[in-house]
Structures are given as structure tokens and as C-alpha cells.
Amino acid sequence: MKISLYLLCLLIVFGFTNTAAQTPTLTTIPIGVSVNDLIGSSLGTSPFDFKNAKENTEFVLKKEGYEPLTISIEKGSKKPLSFPENLNSCGECLFQFANFPKTGKEPYAGSLKMKKKFDEVENSIFIAIDTPKVVIPNDREIGKVNGNSWKMGAKDIHWLLGYPENMNNQVFSPFENSFLEAVFLDIKDSSITNLYKPKIILKPIINEMAFDLNGKLYRDYSGPVMLKIEWNITTIKDPKKILAIIPVTTTFWRTGQNYKILLHQMMEAAHAELLQNDTLHGFLAKLENDYLQSTIGPPLKIKTEKALSFSGTKEMLKAITPAVVTIENPDGFGSGFIISKDGYILTNHHVIKGAKEILVKIGSDKKISAEVVKINSDFDLALLKIKQDNLSCITFENVSTLEAGDEVWAIGTPLDRKLGQTVTKGIISGFRMWNGVHFIQSDVSINSGNSGGPLINEKGEVIGIATLKYFGKGVEGIGFGIPTSEILKMMNLQLE
């Protein structure tokens, strides 16, 4: 008995216990994730003991409602393995650690967090991401590399972390196929209209981080990483006014053979973690809607004419074309249309471009000075007024009666001032929503200069205002107009 105990002690001292044969267990959140080999054969479900994996080192994890994930693990080592320390590759694997940061020499332990699969959302929310701001004191330790401590104010810290202002588009990969359409906040964007700008701004404030990385080279650094962020939410109307703060703690395991800058990888994981919030879409959608509702100005009553009836298309176009005008400013021109006999005119905000001098060309040569009555930049709309009476004008149609396939005409001044009151014909292709704004999609020919002109139905009524067109090689017949229901609501026009 004494000899047996003595031999057992020797085996333990020299590391020849059966721990060398132990295999790690994969635990996941949620449990019950299917573990498959690369050809799709099921090996089991989580919790999964890798001793059941035979010679496999690469696995595809699947569960309904979650994104599939491919991981690879280290096998055949004489040292005891533990999960996730045995990971060779895992992308940006989110983890819930049981012992990070740890105090002893025990291996790290944790559960892999599967990322939710997002249902296709037709009306995604357009947001801007501001440059991350780090508010960690310089004297605070933020992590270790090969056992050596790093402080926030270390001389070479940016060699390790990178610079927040140099974030690139790679950090936006988690937003692909999600309910958010994200871009970097461009403070130098000088666009005349806000129609193409995100209304919601998310600014990440980094207030804590931790990491314990090991490896010979930067690309080999692997280990647990933690990042705490407060996502400050504002709008373009007042970027300094914080409407909400969403605190998010992100933990993940960085694997070797990784060329990503550490802070970029941290932010990529933080974006993915933010998207796991089930109430985020509804919350941001409400903020966007509240913002757009706040752009509605005071009501304005306008006396309009009753709709006329026509015997045919030619008669209709002949009657309403005189109500379509060319709008000129010192930098260019666009189109517009008269909606009252006493001179109210609708156009796009980007057509007037904030000009002090605006001229309205009626017919072939008559030009009249116009004043700006109202604008709604977020819908790219402007209402002008000229001092003129007994003008030809156009009536409005209820957009709710429109359907895809209905015929539509566009009237405007495309490409050249000499081409005023040009008529083109097409059909309604569909109805879309982007950046909180409803659009009519049409294949009617719209070119530069058509902006601000009316979209007309077969009865000679305005159904929308031509606003934008997709341009690009091989792209034809994709134009968009803002429907009359949006125009009346967001400009707060009360037609009598």
C-alpha cells in the first residue's frame, strides 16, 4: 500500500496523471445547440464533451433562431485542456465568463453565447455611430499581456489598442442583415437636406476594459477580453442632448492568428452585443418617429380648387402642365408645382438650397421672385409663395387608393432650363420606407432638375413629389417620390 501511494505521488508530481487525457466541455447560451462536423453530420448538443468528437477539430454550431457559428479547437496536447482556452478560432465569439478576471492559476471557464438571427426587417432604422470616447483614467490598469500589466496612460498603449478615431468599416459587420443600417457620423456633412442623414446618433462611451492576453506576436495574442460601454443616444437636431443611455458589458475570447486591432475587435463585439437587446429596435423606432413628429411646424391653411374631370390623358396633361414651374437659384434649378391660385408652390428643400434669391419661372419666360414660407428638411420639402393671382394649380389625391401598377406621369425640368414642363410616363412600382420616410417607387423617368416636380395620376391629381433616383451602372427606372399624405402631414398643410 505504501509503495502504491508513493508511485501515485510521483505520477502527480511529474504530470503523468490522466488529466492529459481529459477533454474540455462546450457549454453554450442557450443550451441545446447542435454540434456538427464540417459536412453537416450531428455529433451531439451542448453541453458537449469533445471526447465524443473523435478526430474532429472544427465544428459548426447551429440552433434555430441563432446565427450558425464555426469554431476550431486544439486537441492532442499533453496539458489539460479547458474551454474556451483550447479555442484556435471562433471569430468574434461572445462569452459569459465564470471567472474573469481571475485571481488564481485555474483555467478560464465560460459559456459561448450564440448570436441571435434577425428576422428580415423591411424598414430598418438608419443610425449614425459617433467616434468612441474613452473615459478611463490614465493611471488605471486595463489588462495584461503575457503577465505584464498595461495602464491606460502607458506610452505604447495605442500600439496595443489602436486609436478610437481610426475605426474603420470592419466594426460595422455585426450590423449587416440586422435591423440597423449604420454609418459613421460625418460631422462635415454639408448636405442641404436632412432626408439622407440618420436621425439617431449612438455615441459609445468606453468606461472600463480588461484583457488577459498571451502570445509571442500581436497576431497570436489570445485570451479573455471585457469592455463596458454606455451608448449615449442623441439626434441630429441636438447632438449634445442625451435622450437615453444604454449600458452594455461585452465579454469575448480573442483567438490567435488574429490581425485585428484590439480596440476595433472590442467595438465589433460590443456592437454585436448591443444587437442582442430585444427591445432595441422598438425603442429606436419610437425615438426616430418622435424626432420626425417634432419637425412638423404650425398649421397653415391653403385654399385650393376642386378636382377637374377630363375626357382623356391629352386633355388632362394640357390642363395641368401650366401649373408646373421651374425654380431657379444662383447655384442651379429644379422643379415645383402650384397648389393654389394665389401662388403657393411646393418643391424639394434641396432645390432652393437655402438661397436668398429664388425665382419661379412660369411658362416659357415669365420669372417671379418667391419667398420661403415653410421647410421640412427631414422630408426634403419646401413651400414657396409668389405674389400672383389666378394661377393654374393642381389638386391632391388620397395616396391610400394607389396600387402598384397604376400609371403615373412626372412633369418637370430635367437636365436643362430649356426643357421645362417635360412630361414622362411610367407606373408605380411599389411603396417603400427609408429613414422614417414613406416613398412611392416608380419607373417613370426622373433626371436632375425633375426634383420638386409633381407625380400625377390618370385623373390629373398630385400623388407625390419627385425627390430622388438611384444612379449607377446598369441602374434604370428606380425613382422615388414622397406621397401627398406625407407632404400634407409633415408640412402641416390644411387644404380648404
Side-chain angles (χ1 to χ4, degrees):
M1 177 65 71
K2 291 183 179 180
I3 295 176
S4 298
L5 289 174
Y6 178 71
L7 289 175
L8 178 60
C9 290
L10 285 177
L11 288 172
I12 294 175
V13 169
F14 288 100
F16 293 110
T17 68
N18 61 359
T19 56
Q22 290 179 355
T23 53
T25 299
L26 166 69
T27 58
T28 61
I29 300 174
I31 61 173
V33 172
S34 175
V35 181
N36 307 274
D37 60 22
L38 293 183
I39 62 173
S41 299
S42 177
L43 303 173
T45 58
S46 64
F48 179 77
D49 192 333
F50 283 111
K51 71 181 180 182
N52 299 322
K54 299 181 180 179
E55 300 302 320
N56 291 306
T57 59
E58 294 185 86
F59 307 90
V60 180
L61 310 182
K62 295 182 179 180
K63 188 173 179 64
E64 186 175 356
Y66 294 84
E67 294 288 344
L69 179 65
T70 300
I71 66 172
S72 67
I73 66 165
E74 176 187 6
K75 293 184 72 174
S77 173
K78 292 183 179 180
K79 66 180 181 180
L81 298 179
S82 63
F83 191 81
E85 289 193 345
N86 59 297
L87 273 172
N88 278 336
S89 65
C90 190
E92 269 58 57
C93 277
L94 300 178
F95 270 87
Q96 179 173 298
F97 292 104
N99 58 341
F100 175 61
K102 66 178 182 179
T103 56
K105 294 183 179 181
E106 74 281 3
Y108 284 107
S111 297
L112 187 152
K113 295 175 64 177
M114 299 290 288
K115 298 174 185 176
K116 297 173 184 175
K117 181 183 292 184
F118 303 107
D119 295 331
E120 185 174 347
V121 177
E122 184 176 351
N123 301 323
S124 59
I125 301 174
F126 194 29
I127 63 169
I129 305 292
D130 200 354
T131 303
K133 181 179 180 181
V134 181
V135 295
I136 302 173
N138 286 338
D139 60 352
R140 181 179 297 175
E141 180 181 311
I142 58 173
K144 294 181 179 180
V145 176
N146 294 322
N148 299 316
S149 297
W150 283 77
K151 292 185 177 181
M152 191 66 231
K155 181 180 179 181
D156 299 326
I157 192 63
H158 296 299
W159 171 85
L160 177 64
L161 294 180
Y163 292 88
E165 57 270 23
N166 288 345
M167 303 277 283
N168 53 46
N169 289 332
Q170 289 179 342
V171 301
F172 289 100
S173 60
F175 293 122
E176 295 177 2
N177 302 317
S178 77
F179 51 81
L180 297 182
E181 181 181 348
V183 296
F184 265 125
L185 177 64
D186 185 359
I187 59 175
K188 296 181 180 180
D189 186 354
S190 58
S191 303
I192 298 299
T193 175
N194 286 337
L195 179 63
Y196 315 109
K197 298 179 182 178
K199 307 303 184 281
I200 306 299
I201 301 172
L202 271 63
K203 184 176 182 66
I205 307 298
I206 301 171
N207 49 38
E208 189 176 344
M209 67 175 69
F211 48 84
D212 186 5
L213 306 176
N214 289 277
K216 294 180 180 181
L217 301 173
Y218 191 98
R219 68 187 182 195
D220 299 324
Y221 289 172
S222 64
V225 180
M226 182 274 291
L227 190 69
K228 286 188 178 182
I229 289 179
E230 289 186 345
W231 293 90
N232 289 357
I233 302 177
T234 64
T235 66
I236 58 172
K237 184 176 183 180
D238 188 358
K240 294 183 179 180
K241 183 179 180 181
I242 300 174
L243 301 179
I245 298 176
I246 302 178
V248 174
T249 298
T250 304
T251 49
F252 67 97
W253 186 270
R254 177 185 167 95
T255 57
Q257 294 299 308
N258 191 329
Y259 292 86
K260 292 184 179 180
I261 298 172
L262 183 56
L263 184 58
H264 288 195
Q265 191 175 11
M266 286 180 173
M267 289 304 302
E268 191 169 355
H271 290 177
E273 186 75 59
L274 178 68
L275 289 171
Q276 305 307 301
N277 190 320
D278 292 328
T279 62
L280 183 63
H281 179 270
F283 178 69
L284 294 180
K286 183 179 185 305
L287 285 183
E288 181 184 66
N289 182 68
D290 290 346
Y291 168 87
L292 293 173
Q293 294 300 315
S294 72
T295 66
I296 299 175
L300 177 65
K301 294 182 179 181
I302 297 178
K303 186 176 181 180
T304 59
E305 301 301 309
K306 293 182 179 180
L308 301 176
S309 59
F310 304 99
S311 59
T313 300
K314 291 183 179 179
E315 181 187 358
M316 177 269 290
L317 293 173
K318 184 177 180 179
I320 66 171
T321 296
V324 182
V325 300
T326 300
I327 298 174
E328 300 181 358
N329 64 69
D331 297 322
F333 68 95
S335 304
F337 54 99
I338 304 169
I339 62 172
S340 70
K341 284 192 171 184
D342 59 350
Y344 282 105
I345 298 171
L346 276 170
T347 186
N348 285 139
H349 180 217
H350 78 263
V351 168
I352 62 175
K353 296 182 178 180
K356 295 181 179 180
E357 181 181 9
I358 302 170
L359 296 177
V360 175
K361 182 180 178 182
I362 301 177
S364 59
D365 55 7
K366 187 176 182 180
K367 296 183 180 181
I368 303 173
S369 178
E371 65 172 324
V372 179
V373 179
K374 298 183 73 172
I375 62 171
N376 189 322
S377 180
D378 293 282
F379 283 74
D380 197 13
L381 298 171
L383 181 68
L384 311 180
K385 181 72 166 62
I386 58 175
K387 294 180 179 179
Q388 190 83 5
D389 292 319
N390 297 317
L391 294 167
S392 298
C393 58
I394 310 179
T395 57
F396 285 76
E397 163 65 322
N398 184 355
V399 177
S400 64
T401 64
L402 300 178
E403 296 180 354
D406 287 350
E407 292 183 334
V408 61
W409 287 261
I411 308 176
T413 309
L415 302 176
D416 193 292
R417 287 178 172 86
K418 297 178 182 179
L419 300 179
Q421 300 179 337
T422 295
V423 179
T424 56
K425 181 183 178 181
I427 63 169
I428 294 175
S429 305
F431 303 90
R432 313 298 176 195
M433 185 175 181
W434 179 75
N435 206 12
V437 181
H438 292 276
F439 290 94
I440 299 171
Q441 180 184 335
S442 171
D443 69 349
V444 68
S445 179
I446 297 175
N447 295 285
S448 176
N450 271 113
S451 293
L455 298 176
I456 304 293
N457 67 8
E458 60 185 1
K459 294 186 288 185
E461 300 165 320
V462 176
I463 62 171
I465 183 170
T467 301
L468 60 94
K469 176 185 178 179
Y470 275 157
F471 290 94
K473 186 177 181 180
V475 178
E476 290 293 340
I478 304 180
F480 297 90
I482 298 176
T484 53
S485 56
E486 293 276 82
I487 297 171
L488 297 177
K489 176 182 177 182
M490 302 314 295
M491 293 295 282
N492 208 351
L493 303 181
Q494 300 177 0
L495 304 183
E496 299 178 335

